[in-house]
Amino acid sequence: MERVESSSSARLKRVRESISGVIKKPTGREKWGGRFDFLLSCIGYAVGLGTIWRFPYVCYRNGGGAFLIPYLIYMLLMGMPLVLMEMGYGQFSSLSPIAVWKISPLFQGVGYGMVIISAIVCVYYNVIIAWTLYYFVMSFTWTLPWSNCNNRWNSDRCFTRWKNVTGNGSGVDSSAAASSSAVATTQATRSTALANEQRYRSPSEEFWEYNVLGISDGIESLGTPHWHLAVSLLVAWIIIFLCLCKGVKTSGKVVYVTATLPYVLLICFLVRGATLEGAITGIKFYIIPDWSRLLTFQPWAESAQQLFYSMGTAWGALITMASYNKFNNNFYRDAVIVSLTDTFTAFLTGFVIFSTIGFMANETGLPVADVVTNGPGLVFVVLPEAIAHMPGATFWAIIFFIFIFFVGVDSQFGMFETVLSALFDQYPGLRRYKIIVTAVLSIVEFLLGLTCISAGGVYVFQIMDWYCSTFSLMVLSLMECIVISWIYGTERFYRDMTLMLGFRPCRWWGLCWRFISPLLIVFVLMVNIVQHTPVTYGSYTYPTWAIALGWLFAICSIIPIPIVIIIKLAEQKGPMKKRVSSQIRPAPDWGPADELQREEYSRMNHGVTEHPLLWWGRKSDVVLFTSYEEKQAEGSDEAKRVDVETVESVTTYDANHDARDHESRDREAYDVTKESTKEESEERLQGNQSNL
């Protein structure tokens, strides 16, 4: 009897799960511990080193203040919609970039691409942090080592181009091997030296190339890792490990420092830079608009490119961080704040950099255009040289590299957590060994990073940075827009967001996801293809095999898309149309992680067609952008009609559900009665036979 009851109970449990659509997910997924953990993590991730060393340069090169017009337009048309979309479906599913593609399993290769690109970038991004740590340590001296030519690494080409000496320990010196003409401080000598750029180099350039990098003649001479950078890289990975080994509850507390302190330091630098002589010249160079540039193609192309890289979409980090949110978190508000903060920070950073460069131009007698640069050269050559000649140079150098360190670490948190969460979601059993897995992955990334800190390591670094995200980010973002808006369906995604937020977002985002953002992404991709040139480092030309290696980095995050499509279709049976249909629609276990929310989700989607490709063409999509709250605020008859229809729909659904429950209970009672009657009849028959 007990066995029968156990079997019936198990069968009843399976029936209930199949009816309600509740399919349990792996338990134990973490959530953010504090109210602002998610917001600060996203801000810290989005405001990366690219914002610091690329935006100001691109801005001044494309018309100064006029550049902000196309940049802000693209932010509203492409940047903010993509951030909102990734946060939305990441929070809804509570899944990492690979597992989240249960939304349309045929395109799970997009998730693999995101994780691959984040894993590759983690390798060389932490190398930048290692360089920063080394500069930070070398800043603890009265005379900054990149301020003069009296060091063991300086060559006879070393030349200090500053007119005046201000600051502690700065001077106009040269190596012992330099001729008397090279050590002269007259303007005539400076002009002669600067006219021969191949011969003379600044102390900061020589410190960067000869001491920090120990650079070789080319990638063919890779050499062994430099011990001072190996130690710095090891320390960088230990810091990342300690912050992430216990999950987002640890990193969520760390970002309260790493995401906020850079703004304090940025304000300090802004005030200090504004008081320097010549600062106003640099700031004017940065912000005075050249409206004629807006009539050319370049500002519109480069603003789209810069915004695409600056927002941090398609890396998987925004999806990952949103997946740790509570289901009802207001990600709509967070997406707007993150987008606006990233843009504001990029513009503010330009004031800091150009005020410093204006000071440098004033002191050296060079035009601002000849001083400014972008990329690592700005952070590790130009700005350190300017800081070295400020009053209190040591203090400002320490503050500057703390600022760069925190900005870099925040972005590294997001990318490395993306890789970890993808691994744990694919193999839930590994969660119990989280510390061990994090340590092993950190060691692997550290060993791969050793290739970037040898004598020829900077050439490897340049290849990875040049090709890794050149095309793949655009392809992945384009696939996101197509799948979410055209296959999964904009209307269904709006219902998902409504379930989380409690209100329906406006029509603008749907228009962007469907039409505007995909077109702009294609535009950026075409610009990148047309303007792409083979990788270079200064005047060095890479060999053919190195360029081929770069293209391998470029396509390794795109190849998973067709591979996964082929595998998914091959695993299915039947006609090709049926195979595609079964894999293009959401998986049976797609939906909120919480069981109560999943039941509500199933109820909302009751009666909805299960042909994803037809969702976009339904008549209801015509009014999908008008929220019920808007109509209710207007007091229109339409709001009352929607209210009545909603109540009637829910009432009808409940009534039908109750009717089915009564019918099911009656059928069960009838079956029990029938079985009891049959048993009694058999017992009476057996009794009569025994009497006979």
Side-chain angles (χ1 to χ4, degrees):
M1 186 69 177
E2 292 179 357
R3 184 181 302 174
V4 173
E5 290 178 356
S6 177
S7 176
S8 301
S9 176
R11 186 171 65 178
L12 179 60
K13 184 178 180 180
R14 289 195 299 271
V15 170
R16 284 176 176 174
E17 289 183 351
S18 64
I19 292 174
S20 64
V22 177
I23 302 177
K24 292 183 180 296
K25 293 187 176 184
T27 59
R29 188 170 184 84
E30 302 167 291
K31 297 294 181 183
W32 295 107
R35 179 179 178 183
F36 299 104
D37 293 11
F38 169 68
L39 180 61
L40 291 177
S41 296
C42 289
I43 291 175
Y45 162 74
V47 182
L49 292 174
T51 302
I52 304 300
W53 68 34
R54 191 170 188 272
F55 177 87
Y57 176 79
V58 175
C59 183
Y60 109 84
R61 192 174 67 180
N62 291 280
F67 176 80
L68 293 177
I69 294 178
Y71 189 85
L72 291 174
I73 290 174
Y74 284 136
M75 184 195 69
L76 295 174
L77 298 179
M78 181 174 64
M80 197 180 293
L82 291 178
V83 171
L84 178 63
M85 180 176 67
E86 290 196 353
M87 286 185 179
Y89 73 85
Q91 178 174 308
F92 179 77
S93 62
S94 297
L95 294 172
S96 63
I98 296 179
V100 77
W101 285 95
K102 292 176 181 179
I103 193 172
S104 186
L106 191 66
F107 299 98
Q108 196 175 44
V110 176
Y112 282 105
M114 292 178 176
V115 174
I116 289 172
I117 195 173
S118 291
I120 294 175
V121 174
C122 277
V123 173
Y124 73 84
Y125 205 87
N126 231 24
V127 171
I128 302 175
I129 298 176
W131 293 337
T132 305
L133 288 174
Y134 181 70
Y135 268 88
F136 172 73
V137 173
M138 296 298 288
S139 298
F140 285 89
T141 176
W142 289 111
T143 302
L144 296 176
W146 55 83
S147 64
N148 59 68
C149 298
N150 292 332
N151 303 286
R152 57 178 174 77
W153 56 81
N154 291 126
S155 68
D156 56 359
R157 297 179 300 166
C158 185
F159 177 79
T160 303
R161 54 188 177 179
W162 292 74
K163 295 185 296 185
N164 302 314
V165 180
T166 59
N168 47 356
S170 298
V172 182
D173 302 313
S174 67
S175 64
S179 63
S180 59
S181 62
V183 297
T185 56
T186 61
Q187 184 64 33
T189 304
R190 280 195 303 274
S191 301
T192 303
L194 294 173
N196 189 357
E197 294 182 359
Q198 294 181 348
R199 181 180 176 187
Y200 294 101
R201 304 172 69 84
S202 68
S204 61
E205 287 178 287
E206 292 207 339
F207 178 81
W208 167 244
E209 293 193 351
Y210 299 153
N211 180 263
V212 179
L213 301 180
I215 194 169
S216 65
D217 295 332
I219 196 173
E220 301 90 346
S221 304
L222 192 60
T224 58
H226 297 304
W227 71 267
H228 61 282
L229 291 182
V231 173
S232 300
L233 184 62
L234 178 62
V235 172
W237 274 113
I238 289 175
I239 293 173
I240 299 299
F241 166 75
L242 292 177
C243 293
L244 294 180
C245 66
K246 293 188 177 180
V248 295
K249 290 188 176 180
T250 303
S251 64
K253 298 299 180 288
V254 174
V255 295
Y256 280 86
V257 177
T258 60
T260 57
L261 186 58
Y263 286 93
V264 177
L265 302 180
L266 197 63
I267 297 297
C268 292
F269 265 105
L270 180 62
V271 174
R272 182 67 188 95
T275 61
L276 294 172
E277 186 178 355
I280 190 64
T281 303
I283 293 176
K284 286 181 179 179
F285 199 82
Y286 172 54
I287 64 171
I288 292 180
D290 181 3
W291 302 109
S292 62
R293 297 299 301 275
L294 295 181
L295 301 178
T296 62
F297 175 76
Q298 181 176 332
W300 296 92
E302 293 200 1
S303 59
Q305 289 175 300
Q306 173 60 29
L307 180 113
F308 194 88
Y309 291 122
S310 181
M311 287 296 179
T313 55
W315 298 82
L318 292 176
I319 300 172
T320 299
M321 290 186 284
S323 70
Y324 297 119
N325 279 337
K326 295 179 181 178
F327 186 78
N328 294 321
N329 176 67
N330 191 345
F331 68 92
Y332 187 90
R333 172 202 59 205
D334 294 340
V336 174
I337 293 176
V338 170
S339 301
L340 294 177
T341 303
D342 178 75
T343 302
F344 169 76
T345 306
F347 189 59
L348 180 64
T349 303
F351 284 92
V352 175
I353 290 175
F354 273 86
S355 63
T356 306
I357 288 177
F359 162 73
M360 185 175 180
N362 180 76
E363 292 297 307
T364 59
L366 295 173
V368 174
D370 293 343
V371 177
V372 69
T373 184
N374 70 331
L378 177 66
V379 173
F380 297 111
V381 177
V382 176
L383 292 181
E385 182 179 0
I387 291 172
H389 293 82
M390 290 181 182
T394 297
F395 171 78
W396 291 108
I398 293 172
I399 295 298
F400 174 73
F401 289 111
I402 290 176
F403 168 72
I404 297 298
F405 172 77
F406 282 148
V407 170
V409 162
D410 279 335
S411 297
Q412 185 74 347
F413 284 165
M415 292 184 291
F416 196 56
E417 182 62 35
T418 298
V419 181
L420 289 172
S421 66
L423 193 61
F424 293 138
D425 279 359
Q426 290 298 107
Y427 306 99
L430 293 177
R431 284 198 178 98
R432 72 181 84 175
Y433 310 109
K434 184 176 181 64
I435 295 179
I436 297 176
V437 173
T438 305
V440 170
L441 196 56
S442 298
I443 292 172
V444 171
E445 295 267 354
F446 165 74
L447 294 176
L448 293 174
L450 292 177
T451 59
C452 297
I453 59 173
S454 60
V458 69
Y459 300 106
V460 179
F461 172 91
Q462 186 77 344
I463 289 178
M464 298 175 73
D465 186 48
W466 194 281
Y467 287 98
C468 185
S469 58
T470 302
F471 305 108
S472 55
L473 289 179
M474 290 81 173
V475 174
L476 297 177
S477 291
L478 182 62
M479 295 299 298
E480 273 188 306
C481 287
I482 293 174
V483 173
I484 298 297
S485 61
W486 291 99
I487 295 178
Y488 184 71
T490 307
E491 170 63 16
R492 185 166 187 174
F493 190 45
Y494 264 84
R495 289 200 300 271
D496 296 346
M497 291 191 295
T498 303
L499 183 62
M500 290 184 286
L501 298 172
F503 64 90
R504 190 183 183 90
C506 68
R507 69 174 64 190
W508 171 254
W509 310 113
L511 289 173
C512 290
W513 295 328
R514 285 186 173 190
F515 307 107
I516 302 174
S517 296
L519 291 175
L520 289 177
I521 293 171
V522 172
F523 168 69
V524 176
L525 180 60
M526 293 298 103
V527 169
N528 274 11
I529 293 174
V530 172
Q531 295 183 349
H532 180 76
T533 57
V535 60
T536 59
Y537 183 81
S539 59
Y540 174 73
T541 302
Y542 281 78
T544 304
W545 67 265
I547 296 176
L549 177 63
W551 280 109
L552 181 61
F553 282 125
I555 66 174
C556 68
S557 55
I558 301 176
I559 288 179
I561 299 176
I563 290 179
V564 170
I565 290 176
I566 294 172
I567 293 175
K568 291 289 185 181
L569 295 180
E571 290 175 347
Q572 304 302 310
K573 297 181 180 180
M576 184 56 66
K577 183 178 180 180
K578 182 179 179 181
R579 297 184 185 189
V580 173
S581 177
S582 64
Q583 291 299 303
I584 209 172
R585 68 182 62 184
D589 56 344
W590 165 256
D594 182 79
E595 291 189 4
L596 294 178
Q597 301 292 349
R598 181 179 288 273
E599 290 177 357
E600 180 66 21
Y601 170 71
S602 300
R603 181 172 178 171
M604 283 181 60
N605 288 281
H606 176 72
V608 175
T609 176
E610 297 213 359
H611 299 285
L613 289 174
L614 299 180
W615 286 340
W616 63 271
R618 290 203 312 277
K619 188 175 180 180
S620 60
D621 272 1
V622 176
V623 293
L624 73 110
F625 301 116
T626 305
S627 66
Y628 169 72
E629 286 75 9
E630 293 173 351
K631 293 180 179 179
Q632 192 177 42
E634 295 172 0
S636 62
D637 294 336
E638 180 68 14
K640 298 177 182 178
R641 185 186 64 79
V642 171
D643 195 15
V644 171
E645 289 181 354
T646 303
V647 173
E648 289 179 351
S649 176
V650 172
T651 304
T652 303
Y653 173 77
D654 290 342
N656 293 337
H657 190 272
D658 292 341
R660 286 196 298 271
D661 285 346
H662 286 301
E663 182 181 353
S664 177
R665 286 195 293 269
D666 292 343
R667 187 181 298 109
E668 290 176 0
Y670 173 76
D671 291 340
V672 170
T673 304
K674 185 177 180 180
E675 290 179 0
S676 300
T677 304
K678 183 178 180 179
E679 290 175 356
E680 292 175 357
S681 300
E682 290 178 352
E683 289 177 356
R684 285 197 300 270
L685 180 61
Q686 290 176 358
N688 293 334
Q689 289 177 351
S690 61
N691 293 333
L692 291 175

